[in-house]
Amino acid sequence: MSLFAELTSGVNAVRPGRTALPAFDRPLLAATLMLTLFGLLMVYSASIALADGPRYESYGRYYFVIRHALFIVVGVVLAMFTATVPLRVWQKLAVPLFALAIFLLMVVLIPGIGREVNGARRWLPLGIINFQPSELMKVAMVLYAADYTVRKQQHLHTFIRGFLPMAVALGLVGVLLLMEPDLGAFMVIVAIAVGILFIGGINGKLFSALLGIMVSSFLLLIWLSPWRRERLFVYLDPWNPDNAYGSAYQLSHSLIALGRGEWFGVGLGSSVEKLHYLPEAHTDFIVAVIGEELGFVGVAALILTFGFVVWRSFNIGRQASAMDRLFSGVVAQGVALWFGVQAFINIGVVLGLLPTKGLTLPLVSYGGSGIVMNLVAFALLLRVDFENRQMMRGKRT
C-alpha cells in the first residue's frame, strides 16, 4: 500500500496478536498540521486590518487569508504527489532539480522577467502568483547535498574531490542570491548544506575551513554594505530615538507588541501593533502578533511545537541511517536543519536576539512559494519515515 493510501485510509492491516505499526509518524503529522492551521488563523488575524490602509485598500479584508489558504491547498496537493515518489527516485532527480533551481535564480535577475519589489528582484511572475526560486533552492539543496554526501562518501576527507565541488556550488548559489539580494535565504541554504556535510562525515579541518570562510564572508558582506551595517548597529540599541524611528522601527514595534502580550496575551484578534504600526506583521513578524495576542504562553507553545518537529525529524533521519539508507537519513535531517535554522532566525529577530533579517516562519507566515515548499519538504520527511516503517515490516520500498 502506498503512503497516500495509508494517509487517506488510516487503516493498517496486521496479523491477529501482533502490535500495529502505524504507516507514518502520526504525532509529527499532527504537529505539522497544527502549525499550518495555526499559521492560517494568525495570518487572518494579522492581515485583517491591512485593507484599511492606503497600500492595500483595493485588496479586501480577506485577500491575504484566502490566498494563504489556496497556497496551502496547492502545497498539500504537491506534498501528496511528493510523498508517493520513492526516495531512490528523488536521489536521481537531485542534480537535475538543483540545476533547474540555479537556472531559475539566473532568470529572476533578467530585467523584464524577474519582478522587482522594494529594490529586490526575487520573484518570477506566473499570472496571478509570483514564484520565488530561492524557496525551490532550499528543497533542491536538501536533495543535492544529501546526494552529494552519498556519492562523495569516500572523498569527504579530501579537499579537491570532497570539499571543493560543494564550495563552488555554494559560491554560485551565494552570488546569485546576493544579486537579488536575499541574504536571509542564502544563510538558510548555507546552513542546510554545511549541516548536511557535517552529518555526512566531512573531514573536521575541511568543515572548519568551510565554516570559517562562510562566517568571514557574511561579516565582510555586512561590513561592506552600509545598510546592512546600519541594521546590525541599530539592533544593538533599538530604543535610541534615531533608531526607533528609522532602521529599528520594525524591531522596536515588535518588542512593544511582545511587551503588551505579557503572559497570556491581549486576546486573539485584539492586537494593536498589527493596525499599521508593525510592518510585515503577517509575514516576517507574525510571531510578534502571536506574542501580543497570545502572550508568552502562545510563543512558548509555538517554539515547543517547532522543537518537537525538529527533534522527530532528526530521529527519523538517524533511524534511516541506522538501516543503511544514508540518502534518506540525510534528507530527513536536512529538512530538520532547514526548519530549525529558519525558525530560530525568524523568532530570534522578532525577540530582538538577532539583527533584523527578512525571513518567514516556516509553515506559519504568509507566503506563497514558502508555504508550498515547506509542505513539499515535509512530504519528503514523511516519505523517509514511511519507507523506514516499510523496511521494519520486511517490505521493499
Side-chain angles (χ1 to χ4, degrees), residues 91 94-95 98 137-153 156 166 169-170 189-200 326-327 330-331 334 337:
Q91 186 172 4
V95 174
F98 182 73
M137 176 53 76
K138 293 174 185 176
V139 175
M141 182 55 76
V142 169
L143 294 171
Y144 177 75
D147 175 60
Y148 182 89
T149 299
V150 173
R151 286 188 291 108
K152 300 284 187 175
Q153 190 65 42
L156 287 179
M166 180 57 76
L170 276 178
I189 289 168
V190 167
I192 292 170
V194 173
I196 285 178
L197 287 177
F198 178 76
I199 292 169
L326 181 58
F327 175 77
V330 176
V331 166
L337 285 167

Side-chain angles (χ1 to χ4, degrees), residues 297-319:
V297 172
V299 175
L302 178 70
I303 293 173
L304 288 174
T305 306
F306 266 108
F308 175 78
V309 170
V310 172
W311 171 66
R312 285 299 306 144
S313 302
F314 273 116
N315 280 349
I316 289 170
R318 284 194 293 268
Q319 189 177 56

Side-chain angles (χ1 to χ4, degrees), residues 114-180:
R115 181 169 180 255
E116 185 174 340
V117 178
N118 297 327
R121 195 183 297 274
R122 304 175 185 173
W123 298 270
L124 288 174
L126 302 176
I128 60 173
I129 65 171
N130 295 307
F131 178 70
Q132 197 167 354
S134 60
E135 295 296 334
L136 174 63
M137 176 53 76
K138 293 174 185 176
V139 175
M141 182 55 76
V142 169
L143 294 171
Y144 177 75
D147 175 60
Y148 182 89
T149 299
V150 173
R151 286 188 291 108
K152 300 284 187 175
Q153 190 65 42
Q154 296 179 345
H155 306 290
L156 287 179
H157 293 276
T158 64
F159 177 81
I160 299 296
R161 302 186 66 178
F163 171 83
L164 193 58
M166 180 57 76
V168 171
L170 276 178
L172 177 59
V173 173
V175 169
L176 294 173
L177 286 174
L178 294 177
M179 289 176 67
E180 295 185 1

